[in-house]
Amino acid sequence: MSEISFDRPDPHDFLDIDSLLSAEEKLLRDTVRQYVDKEINPKVGDWWEDGSLPDKQLARDFGEIGLLGMHLEGYGCAGTSATAYGLACLELEAGDSGIRSFVSVQGSLAMFPIWKFGSEEQKETWLPRMATGEVIGCFGLTEPDSGSDPSSMRTNAKRDGSDWILNGTKMWITNGSIADIAVVWARIDEGVRGFIVPTDTPGFSAPEIKKKASLRASVTSELILDNVRLPDDFVLPGVSSMRGPLSCLNEARFGIAFGAMGAARSCYETALAYAKEREQFDKPIGSFQLTQRKLVEMMVAVQRGTLVALHLGRRKDEGTLTPEQVSFGKFDNVRNALDVARTARSVLGANGITLEYPVMRHMANLETVFTYEGTNEIHTLIMGEAITGLSAFS
Ligand SMILES: Cc1cc2nc3c(=O)[nH]c(=O)nc-3n(C[C@H](O)[C@H](O)[C@H](O)COP(=O)(O)OP(=O)(O)OC[C@H]3O[C@@H](n4cnc5c(N)ncnc54)[C@H](O)[C@@H]3O)c2cc1C
């Protein structure tokens, strides 16, 4: 008969989720965690406060570790499992959601469409240099008047001889001002096409969006396309509908289901350490029942969400994951991460509002994560349609 073990669970891995990871996955996870501990955590509070990012250095470092387009096969990409990619997202977001966004955008939103829908020549030209971080990419889908409903986009491409002329404005584009190429989705007469736009093309500009109170360690930009002329071999040949951008979003949303749990874990661990040290009424605040309740709620949310993410990772690796299941992970893990961040903030009292601790930064960042890559409401409707068979969109 199997028996219950009376060993006390690890407060940092209560359900021993570690035992579900392969040796290779643990090695990758540890490598990213060490990098984040050494190179991100001591500095990211200042980057966040300044609204700046050492983007070139980070790109090179991430390239060296093999994180850029890591789940893609060939063309200099590491070709890891989807689960390994998810675990890397989790560790990066334990540092900062902006840092994870940098890697997600490069791999899932800029490299993935070239890898999936690009010509052989486009793949050879761009992917190896994007995998090393020499070339930075961005993904232009959202527009000022076209957010949750990207199919209403107005950016358009028209033929001029064998060239294309692009006009329009994209909004809220991560890495826009620092990118060497932008993957821009534009309407044509017969559908939607993806274009690889080198950012030094005449007529292209990418002013940075300032005054953000969230995701400050991340560059967010407008993309302006004013009669941008591109030869035909800059269009992605493999897709001519909304399936193109939506399949990229599924890739990135998958990473977010993991990433959000990284931010949540950082908040929980900060609150746990703080609650054991901070004394009031001559006792550590962690000894009060109300605080223990908060700590346990946070721990359970982090463990549960990490298990969900891992399950999605295993399904993606075996080829059975559906977009609606990705929505489950994005929807539930991000809202729970926000709850954890808010609860952790309260455990830290006044210290919780400073950038000396990561909690308030994560909390503010998670407001963006709640909204981008499909808002919480949009993922609700995707799952609502899946369970009722009734679409709330149309
Ligand atoms: C920091 C940051 C970085 C980003 N990076 C990128 C990027 O790299 N590339 C890119 O293309 N985009 C990017 N985005 C844009 C992001 O994907 C959009 O903000 C998101 O899709 C929501 O669009 P919106 O902001 O226009 O909100 P809206 O679509 O206007 O939505 C406003 C509110 O209405 C709700 N709503 C809308 N429609 C419905 C409905 N049918 N039923 C119920 N509620 C609904 C929404 O859920 C939301 O609560 C980024 C955004 C941010 C903040």
Side-chain angles (χ1 to χ4, degrees), residues 151-328:
S151 62
S152 64
M153 74 174 71
R154 291 192 197 151
T155 298
N156 61 78
K158 298 214 181 311
R159 278 285 194 189
D160 186 34
S162 61
D163 290 347
W164 291 91
I165 309 288
L166 272 72
N167 278 292
T169 306
K170 298 290 178 180
M171 194 69 183
W172 303 112
I173 307 306
T174 302
N175 292 352
S177 315
I178 57 171
D180 303 290
I181 58 166
V183 174
V184 170
W185 298 94
R187 174 170 304 293
I188 60 164
D189 288 343
E190 314 83 33
V192 167
R193 300 301 297 261
F195 293 83
I196 303 172
V197 185
T199 55
D200 57 2
T201 310
F204 181 95
S205 56
E208 190 172 347
I209 297 172
K210 295 287 189 184
K211 297 189 190 290
K212 286 183 299 171
S214 172
L215 222 70
R216 289 182 54 76
S218 172
V219 172
T220 314
S221 317
E222 203 180 337
L223 306 184
I224 301 169
L225 299 118
D226 181 11
N227 284 316
V228 169
R229 177 180 290 273
L230 289 174
D232 196 38
D233 49 6
F234 283 75
V235 66
L236 298 173
V239 75
S240 54
S241 69
M242 283 304 291
R243 188 174 64 84
L246 294 181
S247 61
C248 302
L249 293 178
N250 273 322
E251 294 295 310
R253 290 165 178 177
F254 167 80
I256 290 174
F258 279 86
M261 283 300 116
R265 187 190 72 199
S266 167
C267 293
Y268 159 64
E269 290 187 339
T270 304
L272 179 63
Y274 191 88
K276 283 164 53 176
E277 277 185 9
R278 170 76 175 169
E279 293 193 0
Q280 287 295 286
F281 302 98
D282 299 323
K283 286 167 143 189
I285 58 169
S287 65
F288 301 129
Q289 292 176 3
L290 293 177
T291 308
Q292 289 197 2
R293 167 126 211 160
K294 291 179 189 175
L295 294 171
V296 168
E297 295 281 11
M298 285 189 270
M299 181 278 289
V300 168
V302 173
Q303 291 281 290
R304 192 178 50 216
T306 306
L307 277 178
V308 167
L310 197 56
H311 179 63
L312 298 183
R314 300 290 183 228
R315 290 187 67 82
K316 192 163 193 298
D317 282 325
E318 68 187 24
T320 53
L321 185 66
T322 71
E324 294 84 357
Q325 290 165 342
V326 174
S327 286
F328 183 116

